[in-house]
Amino acid sequence: MGLSVIALSLAALPFVAAGGPFLQQTSNNTWIIGNDLWNITQGSIYGIKLYYQGKDAIGKAAGHYVGADGENNLVWESASIVNEGNDFIDVSFVSEKGDLHWVIYDDLAGSYQYFVNRALGDISILRSLFRLDPDRFPNGRTYLKDEPLPSFQSILDGTKVQDETFETSDGTYITKYDWSNYVRDRDFNGVYGPSTGSWYIHPSTDYFSGNHLKQTLTVHRESSTGDAVQLNVVQDTSHFQTQVTTTQPSGKIWGPWLWYLNDGSITDAKQKFQEELAKWPYSWVNDTAYHSRGAVSGTLKLSDGRVAAGAAVFLGDSDIQAPLAQGVNYYYTSYADASGRFSFSNVRTGQYGLYAWSNGGKIGDVYTNYTKSGINVKGNTKLSTLTWSVPSNERVFQIGDFDKKTTGFIESGPYHHGLAAQSPANFTYTVGKSNTSDWYYASSNLGTWNVEFDVATLEKSSARLIVSLAGYSQSTALTISSNGAVLGSLSKDNVTTDAATYRSGTVSGEWHQFVYPVSNLKQGKNVISFTVNRYVLWRGFLWDAIALEWA
């Protein structure tokens, strides 16, 4: 294929018979890209007039654009073909902040995309998205939800109660946050109708920020216009965690991912996802660092002799921010198998830190984390057996598994707005009679939750209470006491806040753990109390696990 850029006045054409992938410049700041199956007109900010199946898939909607930190949309100053093969071209749209690439194949309905940083600086969010014709794309699909998007009229008729959240006349809520999910559990997200589907497929998630618990938005109904929104948030250290910014290195690549068009078939999109998994890493990427990859493997054992079966294992940055907040480099997630063995393949070469924590199950009693720095990935890196230090103190009681999630509690998932407000004000959990499934996922309303337990023999003079939170949204406050004596309090003054609880997050936000010495246990009946003494609607504490052990 000969590399060429054709300058024409074709902005009004619904389709350009190009004989393959093409870039056409129609004015100083307008271009048309596509192939024989589709084409889109790209302006300085918005991509509009997306012709597929003979008609415009965007219509009166906003179209395609890229933004960093809110609506700080990138402005495209030029476009050119920067790479090509026998059956594809790589078109780069250049802005002051970075370059968006469209890799267009002869016979592919859609395009591979990737973004190369130029000067984003400190950011918390980077995203691309399509806002499409709502009549043509009435439904949304993620691995958690597949249903019609809420109607625009229902949003207009509702009452706005907070950020992108509307209460309807029957007391239910409409919010884009109900469509969120965990980025490393995804297969494909998109919007679709009876004849057309538009999908984002990520065969790798190594360019996403954070660890296993990273979650962000996917699809929704735009509340101000009714557009069908297909989101591609590839960097997010904000929506469901304590907001941080990370400094992005020049040349960093997010992607490639596949934007894929079809006839609306979910079965076909699923098959395409599997095909892309087999192709990754993509051979056509013209970047040496992208292709420089290795592997990491090892085995985790606990200091008490057990294997770390099922542990969550994260390969990230060394000696800096907590895993969920990391967002500078590239990140890899896995789980240990039944023998504690873990592995990562196709890891970009470089220096990493290794992190591990309980994901529940056989090691659900483990509340410590494992950390190892200075792992140099170059070729096949085989780590020796790693010993994870865990306390061996006798446990008095435990409620829930230590997995940094609300797993096992009432209303733990899926995403649903307002459930924190339904938490019981007063509640008694009796050790030996109550079950984990009796505990509510969040504490929000004013009142006291008591944990009653019997101590047959005072094993030691003191114990320690481990309180592990899966998230916290201010300004609800909690006082913790043992047999009436205050052990401590948790509030916005000593717990960093995240937005998960009031943004439909019922499983996790930002993880926190606190340890309190307990010296007033007595033989017979004892009570540990958790009293909410300050209340804010939909805010509160997400529970991970609670344990009392002899010190």
Side-chain angles (χ1 to χ4, degrees):
M1 174 184 298
L3 188 153
S4 61
V5 180
I6 307 171
L8 299 171
S9 296
L10 298 174
L13 287 181
F15 185 82
V16 179
F22 67 92
L23 163 66
Q24 297 173 342
Q25 184 165 1
T26 63
S27 69
N28 288 339
N29 61 356
T30 305
W31 307 264
I32 302 176
I33 58 173
N35 59 22
D36 293 340
L37 299 175
W38 66 276
N39 67 84
I40 189 170
T41 300
Q42 179 65 61
S44 59
I45 296 177
Y46 296 100
I48 59 172
K49 300 177 182 177
L50 170 58
Y51 287 101
Y52 177 61
Q53 298 170 325
K55 55 184 178 181
D56 184 6
I58 291 175
K60 296 180 181 179
H64 179 272
Y65 55 100
V66 178
D69 286 347
E71 294 297 328
N72 183 20
N73 299 325
L74 276 62
V75 178
W76 309 119
E77 300 170 348
S78 65
S80 63
I81 297 173
V82 295
N83 188 24
E84 65 175 341
N86 292 330
D87 56 355
F88 77 89
I89 59 173
D90 183 337
V91 179
S92 175
F93 284 88
V94 176
S95 76
E96 178 185 358
K97 299 294 186 181
D99 308 337
L100 178 68
H101 291 249
W102 301 67
V103 179
I104 306 167
Y105 273 79
D106 288 348
D107 57 355
L108 176 63
S111 174
Y112 295 97
Q113 297 178 317
Y114 63 99
F115 187 85
V116 182
N117 180 42
R118 187 183 297 273
L120 284 171
D122 295 347
I123 62 167
S124 60
I125 296 174
L126 176 66
R127 62 179 185 162
S128 67
L129 65 154
F130 278 94
R131 287 170 55 177
L132 299 167
D133 179 353
D135 295 327
R136 192 166 173 181
F137 300 92
N139 306 309
R141 192 272 177 194
T142 75
Y143 79 92
L144 291 177
K145 291 171 72 77
D146 179 9
E147 60 189 56
L149 297 170
S151 72
F152 185 40
Q153 190 61 50
S154 65
I155 294 175
L156 294 177
D157 291 342
T159 301
K160 189 171 185 177
V161 293
Q162 66 171 35
D163 172 33
E164 292 301 314
T165 304
F166 303 84
E167 185 175 9
T168 66
S169 59
D170 64 2
T172 59
Y173 298 96
I174 298 171
T175 176
K176 65 182 182 182
Y177 298 107
D178 278 359
W179 290 85
S180 304
N181 60 34
Y182 289 90
V183 300
R184 288 181 174 82
D185 291 337
R186 293 176 181 171
D187 46 12
F188 52 96
N189 300 327
V191 291
Y192 70 98
S195 63
T196 313
S198 182
W199 312 96
Y200 279 127
I201 296 173
H202 293 266
S204 172
T205 57
D206 63 356
Y207 44 85
F208 282 90
S209 55
N211 61 7
H212 308 62
L213 301 178
K214 176 61 61 181
Q215 53 191 318
T216 191
L217 303 165
T218 57
V219 300
H220 64 271
R221 174 79 66 202
E222 172 57 44
S223 64
S224 60
T225 63
D227 297 352
V229 181
Q230 178 188 0
L231 271 170
N232 183 44
V233 185
V234 292
Q235 179 90 8
D236 187 352
T237 52
S238 173
H239 279 109
F240 289 92
Q241 64 187 84
T242 301
Q243 183 170 353
V244 298
T245 59
T246 53
T247 303
Q248 300 305 312
S250 177
K252 178 180 176 179
I253 294 176
W254 287 266
W257 58 84
L258 175 61
W259 164 60
Y260 179 59
L261 293 166
N262 70 1
D263 62 359
S265 168
I266 293 175
T267 300
D268 175 70
K270 182 178 181 179
Q271 180 178 338
K272 192 64 177 176
F273 169 67
Q274 294 298 327
E275 291 174 2
E276 296 307 312
L277 286 176
K279 293 177 183 177
W280 185 84
Y282 295 122
S283 60
W284 47 260
V285 177
N286 189 20
D287 180 83
T288 302
Y290 174 86
H291 295 288
S292 179
R293 297 178 181 267
V296 179
S297 61
T299 300
L300 276 167
K301 290 190 175 181
L302 308 183
S303 58
D304 62 12
R306 292 180 290 166
V307 297
V313 189
F314 176 64
L315 199 61
D317 301 328
S318 290
D319 300 324
I320 59 171
Q321 292 169 305
L324 187 63
Q326 294 181 13
V328 176
N329 297 305
Y330 301 94
Y331 306 103
Y332 303 87
T333 58
S334 185
Y335 294 93
D337 64 16
S339 63
R341 180 172 172 77
F342 62 88
S343 63
F344 301 92
S345 59
N346 287 312
V347 176
R348 282 174 171 261
T349 58
Q351 289 283 331
Y352 290 89
L354 184 76
Y355 304 80
W357 58 93
S358 165
N359 192 43
K362 292 184 178 180
I363 60 169
D365 61 314
V366 175
Y367 58 83
T368 61
N369 301 318
Y370 177 85
T371 303
K372 180 179 176 61
S373 300
I375 297 174
N376 184 32
V377 177
K378 186 177 182 181
N380 190 5
T381 303
K382 294 184 178 180
L383 303 175
S384 60
T385 297
L386 307 174
T387 301
W388 178 351
S389 179
V390 297
S392 56
N393 304 65
E394 183 181 353
R395 197 65 50 94
V396 180
F397 70 79
Q398 179 176 329
I399 303 172
D401 279 354
F402 288 97
D403 58 3
K404 298 179 169 47
K405 296 177 288 189
T406 63
T407 308
F409 299 142
I410 297 173
E411 300 291 6
S412 174
Y415 294 83
H416 195 289
H417 175 73
L419 294 182
Q422 299 179 20
S423 65
N426 299 291
F427 169 67
T428 298
Y429 183 100
T430 304
V431 174
K433 294 182 180 179
S434 302
N435 300 308
T436 293
S437 57
D438 297 322
W439 194 270
Y440 202 73
Y441 85 99
S443 287
S444 181
N445 289 312
L446 297 173
T448 299
W449 294 10
N450 288 323
V451 179
E452 296 182 352
F453 59 100
D454 288 326
V455 173
T457 303
L458 288 175
E459 301 285 344
K460 295 183 179 180
S461 60
S462 62
R464 58 179 172 227
L465 179 70
I466 298 96
V467 176
S468 191
L469 302 177
Y472 167 70
S473 296
Q474 68 180 35
S475 290
T476 301
L478 182 74
T479 297
I480 304 168
S481 58
S482 169
N483 293 327
V486 173
L487 301 177
S489 62
L490 299 174
S491 70
K492 65 182 180 63
D493 297 329
N494 59 358
V495 189
T496 53
T497 186
D498 63 69
T501 310
Y502 64 87
R503 282 182 170 171
S504 304
T506 61
V507 177
S508 71
E510 188 97 17
W511 173 74
H512 309 274
Q513 190 174 99
F514 305 89
V515 179
Y516 301 97
V518 180
S519 57
N520 67 342
L521 294 183
K522 58 188 178 182
Q523 192 170 356
K525 181 180 177 181
N526 292 265
V527 181
I528 299 291
S529 301
F530 301 90
T531 301
V532 174
N533 45 40
R534 186 167 66 214
Y535 161 76
V536 178
L537 182 64
W538 302 323
R539 272 66 167 170
F541 300 85
L542 297 182
W543 293 103
D544 171 19
I546 302 164
L548 182 69
E549 64 183 20
W550 296 110

